[in-house]
Every structure is written in structure tokens, then in C-alpha cells.
Amino acid sequence: DAGVTQSPTHLIKTRGQQVTLRCSPKSGHDTVSWYQQALGQGPQFIFQYYEEEERQRGNFPDRFSGHQFPNYSSELNVNALLLGDSALYLCASSTGTGKAWKTEAFFGQGTRLTVV
Amino acid sequence: GQNIDQPTEMTATEGAIVQINCTYQTSGFNGLFWYQQHAGEAPTFLSYNVLDGLEEKGRFSSFLSRSKGYSYLLLKELQMKDSASYLCAVVRGGSQGNLIFGKGTKLSVKP
């Protein structure tokens, strides 16, 4: 089992550009959540996808958008990049939003985004 | 509002016991997680508490008091490899995957 995989591992972008990050969930998981982790901080919830729809969203601007595909993989898109978007972006997968929590969320290794 | 507090840094000696505290105030509660995160790596699951009491798993134990909004992670027989950040995260009511994290406690284990 490959676990949660994210790509790319590192990325450098220029202010104003757009970026797409990718996540493949752990086998058997159908729910993907994205988090932003700034240096020295805990992860902050961006949004969650289940059944190809955004189910919940944290306090992030519309520049942050996402998508989930029929195979449960997901993308995070960030438009009009700002310097403050530099962070580790983590993807977590789990099973069945709305149900009682029965399995821990598994995190991918993350994508380190640097905006210059 | 949502608020999760844990100490920023702690230092302990190899072989000793350390307790990392976490207090929370959240709208809705569906359990509390502890994760370990080494620098530059993803968080890895340590424990999950949803009912009051102590959960023991090897050298790691976690305690929860829902009435007090309080949890702790207890690490016994500390090893150098336990040097990492420890993240307390609350599951908001009614959903999975929507975790509210504290800022993490950086633990340094010294010989």
C-alpha cells in the first residue's frame, strides 16, 4: 500500500502565478482534505472533498480551489500566488465524511511551495 | 471560536517521562488526535481519544477530559528519536478530516 502520495514534493513559483498540487489517497479511502502548514505552525484546514464535491471549507480565500476525480484523487489549485502562500501543503485521506470517525486521517509527505 | 493551546517547546532527558498538555475550546467535538511530526515530514498518527480516560499504546499514552477541554500525551522511556513536534488536533463535530490543529509542541530529547 503506497499510502497517501503527493506531487510534486517541492515547487518554486513567482508571485502572481498559479499552481496545481496533486494528491492520491490511501487505497480504500474516498475523502481527501487539504491543509496548509506555515513554518512553525500547525496545519490549517483548507477544504475537504468527498464524492467529487467540496464538502467543507476553512477560512481561505477563493484563490484556493480544488477538485476530486472519480478515482478519489484530488488537486489543489492556488491562483494569483502571494508570498504568504509559501508553506507546506498537506493532503490527508480518510473514509466516509459524515460518518463516525473510525480511522485516523493519513497524511501525505506534503508539497513544499515557495513563492518568490 | 476555535482555540487549541499547547506549550511551544519542551525539553526532556533520554529515558525520562514527559507530559505534553493540550487545552481546547471548539464548536463541536468529535474526538482528539495526537500526531508526531519530524521536521520536514508529514504528521504521523499517535492516538485518538473520543471518550474520557486514558488510552495506552506502548510507550505513548493519551488522556482526555471532555468536561475540562483537556488532553495530554504521555511519552515514557524517552528516546532520542522522539525529538519532534507533537500536534494536538480536535475533530470538529459532524465531519471527518476536518481537524483543528494546535501550533504544536517541539520536544527536544537530550542525552
Side-chain angles (χ1 to χ4, degrees), chain A residues 95-114:
Chain A
T95 55
T97 189
K99 300 175 185 175
W101 193 293
K102 293 179 181 175
T103 59
E104 64 270 26
F106 288 82
F107 283 86
Q109 290 296 319
T111 295
R112 174 72 63 187
L113 173 65
T114 302

Side-chain angles (χ1 to χ4, degrees), chain B residues 2 4 12-13 32 35 42 46 51 68-70 73 84-85 91 100 108:
Chain B
Q2 323 286 346
I4 298 179
T13 304
L32 186 144
Y35 288 89
L46 290 178
L51 299 175
K68 295 181 179 179
Y70 169 70
L73 179 70
S85 286
V91 186
I100 304 171
S108 299

Side-chain angles (χ1 to χ4, degrees), chain A residues 33 35 37 40-43 45 48 56 88 90 94-101 103-105 107-109, chain B residues 30 33 35 37 40-45 48 87 91-104:
Chain A
S33 302
Y35 292 82
Q37 187 176 24
Q41 302 293 313
F45 175 71
Q48 180 186 77
Q56 297 196 56
L88 180 68
L90 294 163
S94 56
T95 55
T97 189
K99 300 175 185 175
W101 193 293
T103 59
E104 64 270 26
F107 283 86
Q109 290 296 319
Chain B
N30 219 13
F33 281 84
Y35 288 89
Q37 187 176 29
E41 299 183 9
T44 54
F45 170 80
Y48 171 63
L87 299 165
V91 186
R92 290 179 60 182
S95 68
Q96 282 200 48
N98 186 357
L99 298 170
I100 304 171
F101 282 86
K103 293 184 177 180

Side-chain angles (χ1 to χ4, degrees), chain A residues 2-3 7 19 27 40-41 49 75 78 83 85 107-108:
Chain A
S7 63
V19 68
S27 177
Q41 302 293 313
Y49 277 84
E75 290 181 348
V78 187
L83 296 179
D85 296 331
F107 283 86

